[in-house]
């Protein structure tokens, strides 16, 4: 049985690479359930990619120009004086 390899458009590739580069920042203070959901969502994205005309709900939407564009992505943490757990502390 032959395995198929997903071919990503430039936006999908950049999103996947960016997530992998910034995964530590995204997960360092995350709750385990959130980390698990994020990993499942990432795997789903890697398997399915962004919507396309092949998807029923998107079949009449032209997304080629949006997917060909370059986007600036910046998720570097802000320089806060408190940690996230201190800000969102529930008592």
């Amino acid at each position: 049985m032959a395995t198929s390899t997903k071919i990503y458009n430039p936006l999908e590739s950049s999103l996947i690479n960016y997530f992998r580069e910034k995964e530590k920042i995204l997960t360092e203070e995350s709750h385990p359930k959130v980390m698990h959901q994020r990993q499942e969502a990432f795997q789903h994205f890697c398997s399915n990619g962004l919507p396309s005309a092949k998807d029923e709900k998107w079949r009449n939407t032209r997304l080629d120009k949006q997917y060909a564009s370059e986007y600036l992505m910046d998720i570097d943490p802000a320089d806060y004086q408190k940690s996230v757990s201190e800000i969102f502390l529930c008592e």
Side-chain angles (χ1 to χ4, degrees), residues 3-4 13 20 29 35 38 40 42 44 47 50 58 65 69-70 80 86-88:
T3 58
S4 62
S13 294
R20 287 181 175 148
E29 293 194 37
M35 288 173 45
R38 184 179 288 123
E40 284 184 351
F42 180 67
H44 178 80
S47 298
L50 292 166
W58 293 89
K65 288 182 183 177
S69 299
E70 289 190 31
Y80 293 113
E86 289 177 305
I87 294 170
F88 294 103

Side-chain angles (χ1 to χ4, degrees), residues 26-87:
L26 289 168
T27 60
E28 66 187 353
E29 293 194 37
S30 292
H31 187 279
K33 286 185 179 183
V34 173
M35 288 173 45
H36 178 72
Q37 286 181 315
R38 184 179 288 123
Q39 282 301 322
E40 284 184 351
F42 180 67
Q43 291 306 318
H44 178 80
F45 181 79
C46 288
S47 298
N48 299 296
L50 292 166
S52 70
K54 294 178 183 177
D55 299 308
E56 180 65 26
K57 292 181 180 180
W58 293 89
R59 68 185 163 133
N60 295 318
T61 307
R62 301 295 304 163
L63 298 169
D64 300 340
K65 288 182 183 177
Q66 286 76 19
Y67 291 169
S69 299
E70 289 190 31
Y71 293 90
L72 175 65
M73 296 176 275
D74 185 17
I75 60 165
D76 290 328
D79 187 23
Y80 293 113
Q81 299 299 323
K82 293 184 176 184
S83 71
V84 172
S85 58
E86 289 177 305
I87 294 170

